[in-house]
Amino acid sequence: MSRPRIVIVGAGFAGYRTARTLSRLTRHQADITLLNPTDYFLYLPLLPQVAAGILEPRRVSVSLSGTLPHVRLVLGEADGIDLDGHTVHYTGPEGEEGTLPFDRLVLAAGSVNKLLPIPGVAEHAHGFRGLPEALYLRDHVTRQVELAAAADDRAECAARCTFVVVGAGYTGTEVAAHGAMYTDAQVRKHPMRTGMRPRWMLLDVAPRVMPEMDERLSRTAERVLRQRGVDVRMGTSVKEATHDGVVLTDGSTVDTRTLVWCVGVRPDPLVESLGLPMERGRLLVDPHLQVPGRPELFACGDVAAVPDLNQPGQYTPMTAQHAWRHGKVCAQNVAASLGIGERRAYRHRDMGFVVDLGGAKAAANPLGLPMSGPAAGAVTRGYHLAAMPGNRVRVAADWLLDAVLPRQAVQLGLVRSWSVPLESSSPEVARVPGGPERHGKAAGPTGQRPDVEETGNQPGGEPAKGQPSGESAKSQPGGEPAKTQPGGEPAKTQPGGEPARNQPGGEPAKNQPGGEPAGSRSHGGRAKGGQSGSPRASGKPRRAVEAAGPRPAREGSGKPGRAPRASGTGSAGKRPTAPSGPSRSAGPPTDPGPPANQPPPGPDIAPGPVKRTDRRAAEGDS
């Protein structure tokens, strides 16, 4: 008799824990396959330390094959699930396609960036959800400080050394706190000619920093931020973003070249295609993390609406702590469905939260005990070391070296600005030219992109309730307009971007994959990623991969529920071409970027991930 086949989609906190626990429980009695776009588990809470130069990227990346020896790893991203046929269709990193049969399926795809229709944000802001974005931000901030130090004009210097972070949740607070320390250290070693110092701003429509957490933690975090000179503006949002700065909802204008987007996430839209009951974009499951009526289907993490047995009528929030615990219970229940062990309902106990504010400063409330200062810093770092599934010694060594040695503020230029566009729904892998083709999804009947949430004329609203480190759709102070350009942005029009020949990583828009000058955009229904594909036969959006150039449409593959792909763009089905003239941003001529279907010189970066569309929204910040 053949062994049962278990497929786990996603290797985030929930998926990784599920795979690890199942591997231990089944003891070679089942074939476990893990489908993920990267070969590592990313420990997201330490990502701000990567951007600040404290930790190297591989310290927060735990090898899947190295720590899950009895689990088969398949690189790719799921773009179709046939529940009746018990198969998962996926697209690999080089465009190859395949299917995985299953007897038990665990959906742990996690979450993606949440965008709102605010003019200019998609063109001039960058997210903070994956390693490519953290590496880009580190290079970008370093470059801006160096250019500001060399500038003779005080206005240019002030704009370059002003950094705006949108979203005062868990991630945005840590990015601002670590960023302020990083830039201050640079200026101490190399003072600016004009005598100015870097300025960090933290914006949110919420009434206080980290509104979803304990009020004492919020006060501690805000006090530390203000002591470091961070301009904390609560009740203020971004009304419009331009190349030269941002316009705030209070009417003021801030000149800046840096806009960091940390306003929360929404569940992966893959689960929308299943046609099963949903709760604000999340798949409804029972307390055993099993989908009612589908004994073979389990879901956990950010894509699952898990009933909170401690608070009847509510669902567990989208946090890393819950996702990690979901994974263990889900693995036990999957094993129980195969006759190994007994089922368990998911119950949790609030163990508190920790917020690393850089240096010896932190805010923590372990077991409900509020702490601040060096004691909180020790508790916070001890918690992270205990929670990490690997690399503990290397992380501790980097912390020790950072305490006794100055940080290395250098630009590596490994990630280009156009390779980490904000509209990317999968920030785990950087976008590169010459990668597999990505067919975006056309805009809806209103001309708005499907992945952009409809909020009317308000850029902000009430903060999320009961969501640790996440904000609701109404509370997000920024977002992406429907008419923004797809793909990579012009180098000169990005925050802090300069012409290609004047800085590493900058390419003109018309030579970038999926990017055209803003003047060539139509204001109607645009396609995500710069290209439009056909929806699936069932009417649900399907996901595919990106390419730098067009590819002929292929005939149907014969797989159930899948439609032939198209390679056109726009509502008319034609691909817009870049004009031969310059882009709308004035400036000196730029060097040509990478030619079509050919990667730029320099280190290789993995091909871009697949994209998804989603009309529904839910909140969270894992």
Side-chain angles (χ1 to χ4, degrees), residues 44-393:
L44 273 170
L46 293 182
L47 201 59
Q49 297 193 23
V50 174
I54 300 174
L55 298 177
E56 290 304 312
R58 284 184 291 183
R59 303 295 184 258
V60 299
S61 309
V62 179
S63 170
L64 295 178
S65 57
T67 56
L68 302 173
H70 304 300
V71 176
R72 176 193 174 202
L73 173 64
V74 175
L75 292 179
E77 197 157 356
D79 56 18
I81 298 175
D82 184 357
L83 293 178
D84 295 330
H86 284 212
T87 58
V88 176
H89 181 269
Y90 70 91
T91 304
E94 296 181 353
E96 69 278 12
E97 298 182 354
T99 57
L100 298 173
F102 64 84
D103 297 304
R104 298 291 186 273
L105 175 63
V106 178
L107 293 178
S111 53
V112 298
N113 286 321
K114 179 170 58 180
L115 307 175
L116 296 176
I118 291 183
V121 168
E123 298 138 316
H124 306 292
H126 285 277
F128 196 80
R129 288 277 302 154
L131 275 178
E133 293 172 327
L135 291 174
Y136 168 76
L137 181 62
R138 179 174 170 178
D139 276 1
H140 173 78
V141 170
T142 304
R143 178 169 62 249
Q144 294 308 306
V145 173
E146 291 171 348
L147 292 174
D152 295 322
D153 181 61
R154 288 185 63 87
E156 179 185 356
C157 179
R160 292 195 179 280
C161 63
T162 298
F163 308 95
V164 178
V165 180
V166 184
Y170 183 96
T171 301
T173 300
E174 288 196 340
V175 168
H178 282 280
M181 289 190 65
Y182 180 64
T183 54
D184 284 347
Q186 283 186 268
V187 174
R188 280 196 298 269
K189 291 187 295 184
H190 303 286
M192 297 185 182
R193 297 183 183 181
T194 57
M196 302 183 68
R197 58 165 292 181
R199 175 194 181 194
W200 284 79
M201 296 182 64
L202 181 62
L203 310 177
D204 203 308
V205 294
R208 58 185 175 90
V209 174
M210 298 188 300
E212 66 284 343
M213 294 187 181
D214 183 87
E215 189 172 352
R216 287 171 291 189
L217 288 183
S218 176
R219 288 198 301 265
T220 299
E222 184 170 352
R223 182 176 65 252
V224 172
L225 290 172
R226 294 189 184 279
Q227 288 173 351
R228 291 183 182 162
V230 177
D231 184 358
V232 181
R233 298 194 185 185
M234 296 293 97
T236 305
S237 174
V238 173
K239 184 178 180 181
E240 182 181 0
T242 66
H243 168 60
D244 298 320
V246 294
V247 180
L248 306 183
T249 53
D250 60 7
S252 60
T253 300
V254 178
D255 294 335
T256 181
R257 302 292 188 271
T258 308
L259 184 58
V260 187
W261 187 256
C262 301
V263 296
V265 294
R266 58 190 175 92
D268 192 304
L270 172 67
V271 295
E272 293 270 340
S273 64
L274 300 178
L276 297 174
M278 310 288 292
E279 171 63 30
R280 302 185 70 187
R282 295 196 280 175
L283 191 62
L284 278 172
V285 298
D286 61 21
H288 299 91
L289 308 179
Q290 194 168 20
V291 177
R294 289 285 181 178
E296 78 283 2
L297 181 59
F298 296 79
C300 55
D302 290 351
V303 298
V306 182
D308 191 341
L309 299 181
N310 295 331
Q311 303 181 54
Q314 299 187 25
Y315 300 94
T316 57
M318 296 167 59
T319 64
Q321 292 89 339
H322 279 291
W324 187 251
R325 298 169 187 170
H326 285 176
K328 180 179 179 181
V329 175
C330 184
Q332 292 172 335
N333 291 334
V334 171
S337 71
L338 301 175
I340 304 172
E342 298 181 356
R343 298 176 73 197
R344 284 186 52 194
Y346 178 73
R347 290 183 180 274
H348 69 92
R349 180 188 175 193
D350 188 3
M351 305 296 290
F353 288 92
V354 294
V355 181
D356 186 2
L357 301 174
K361 300 295 181 68
N365 61 346
L367 301 177
L369 177 65
M371 302 176 65
S372 61
V379 169
T380 298
R381 296 202 167 184
Y383 167 81
H384 287 313
L385 284 179
M388 289 192 69
N391 296 345
R392 295 188 181 97
V393 174

Side-chain angles (χ1 to χ4, degrees), residues 447-467:
Q448 179 180 330
R449 280 182 31 176
D451 63 323
V452 177
E453 300 171 24
E454 196 62 76
T455 60
N457 297 324
Q458 283 193 346
E462 296 300 324
K465 297 176 182 177
Q467 297 281 345

